[in-house]
Amino acid sequence: MGFKFAAGNVLILMLVAQIDAARPHISLELNKPSQACVQDIFASLKTVGPLVKGIMSAVTDCKNDATKCASDVGSITSELAALSEDIEAAVTACGGGSTACAADISKAVGAIAQAETAISNAVPDCKGNNTAKCTADISAAGVDLAGAVTDIVSAIKDCATESVKSVTDPSQACVTDIVTAVLDIKPIVSGIQQAIPDCKNSTAGKCAADVGGLITALGSLSEAIEKAVSDCGGGSSSCAGDISKAAQAVGEATTAISKAVDDCKGGDKSACTGDISAAGVALTSAAVDAASAILDCKNTSKIA
């Protein structure tokens, strides 16, 4: 399931992340539209982080405290609107870019819109004391955001101007590993989105197949994260912290899916789909942490 791309593209990813604070001795040769494009994409990525934390808090609060729940949902609604503004700015700034660039941003826009719809559904459900439906709506928004994060990371790769000639950088394998891990999350998110309705409405066999596929995919993702831990050794404390948090979140997703195996076999559909949704929220956190590591683990100090 791993995603591989050329070293030249890895180089671009590592260099464009320096746009906000480029060192004087680094020459990126980015044209103005591409520079604005990449800046807007990174702004979107930075906006997602606190939004995901808010969603994770809301899942807990909306089970136990109606007042906190209402406050959380209101904050998430506002933060989603801000994220939409950031990604819409990227749509404008990245106009005229490659087909892949446009497709990445379009997918991110769609995923964010789905998250907004889920949160809109949460407003009446949470007010009506329908705790199960309320938390399901919020979890669905979290899973949609995980997809948006992977699309945003794809856009970082595809929307940069390919104009830097060469680089010698010991962190190249590290950044490659991290991007691979982030992009590996995308099909798992799709699998979770498929498993939730299957385990709620379809036969036990189909649900079991979905959950089994998720366990296998999460195992591969764990291996990708472990490779990043190895290759990024010796990096900054923030780099190590990001990867450690991503690994922990993947572990939480794996635990939730492992629990789903028993709950889904036992016929408790509510517990079963709750486990799968919990895995989706954990994966959203993993995606954000891994994407943050792209910013923190890069090293562009050696330019040939």
Side-chain angles (χ1 to χ4, degrees), residues 36-126:
C37 167
V38 175
Q39 285 176 325
D40 288 337
I41 293 168
F42 270 107
S44 300
L45 189 58
K46 292 174 183 177
T47 303
V48 175
L51 180 53
V52 170
K53 291 180 181 178
I55 285 176
M56 295 180 74
S57 294
V59 169
T60 300
D61 290 341
C62 290
K63 291 178 181 177
N64 306 310
D65 189 318
T67 302
K68 283 186 178 179
C69 177
S71 176
D72 290 342
V73 171
S75 295
I76 291 168
T77 301
S78 298
E79 289 164 358
L80 276 170
L83 178 58
S84 292
E85 290 179 6
D86 286 338
I87 204 68
E88 286 298 334
V91 170
T92 301
C94 298
S98 68
T99 302
C101 170
D104 293 335
I105 298 173
S106 177
K107 289 176 185 176
V109 169
I112 293 165
Q114 288 177 335
E116 288 181 309
T117 297
I119 291 298
S120 295
N121 292 336
V123 173
D125 289 335
C126 296

Side-chain angles (χ1 to χ4, degrees), residues 105-175:
I105 298 173
S106 177
K107 289 176 185 176
V109 169
I112 293 165
Q114 288 177 335
E116 288 181 309
T117 297
I119 291 298
S120 295
N121 292 336
V123 173
D125 289 335
C126 296
K127 283 182 179 178
N129 295 320
N130 187 341
T131 301
K133 186 69 169 64
C134 167
T135 56
D137 293 335
I138 297 167
S139 295
V143 175
D144 290 330
L145 279 178
V149 170
T150 61
D151 293 327
I152 290 169
V153 170
S154 292
I156 294 170
K157 176 177 67 69
D158 292 331
C159 298
T161 299
E162 302 184 26
S163 61
V164 182
K165 294 182 180 179
S166 62
V167 68
T168 302
D169 194 325
S171 72
Q172 182 166 308
C174 165
V175 177

Side-chain angles (χ1 to χ4, degrees), residues 247-283:
Q248 181 179 348
V250 172
E252 291 171 358
T254 302
T255 297
I257 291 298
S258 296
K259 188 173 182 296
V261 172
D262 292 331
D263 287 338
C264 297
K265 280 182 181 178
D268 187 341
K269 291 187 176 182
S270 177
C272 168
T273 56
D275 295 335
I276 298 169
S277 294
V281 173
L283 270 183

Side-chain angles (χ1 to χ4, degrees), residues 280-304:
V281 173
L283 270 183
T284 307
S285 180
V288 171
D289 291 330
S292 295
I294 295 171
L295 299 174
D296 292 332
C297 298
K298 65 198 179 309
N299 181 349
T300 58
S301 61
K302 295 184 179 181
I303 302 296

Side-chain angles (χ1 to χ4, degrees), residues 185-229:
I185 291 173
K186 181 69 172 181
I188 303 177
V189 169
S190 297
I192 286 173
Q193 290 172 323
Q194 182 63 50
I196 291 173
D198 283 349
C199 291
K200 184 177 181 180
N201 306 313
S202 301
T203 63
K206 192 169 185 180
C207 174
D210 289 343
V211 172
L214 290 171
I215 289 176
T216 300
L218 282 166
S220 297
L221 177 59
S222 293
E223 291 177 4
I225 292 287
E226 286 301 320
K227 190 171 187 305
V229 170

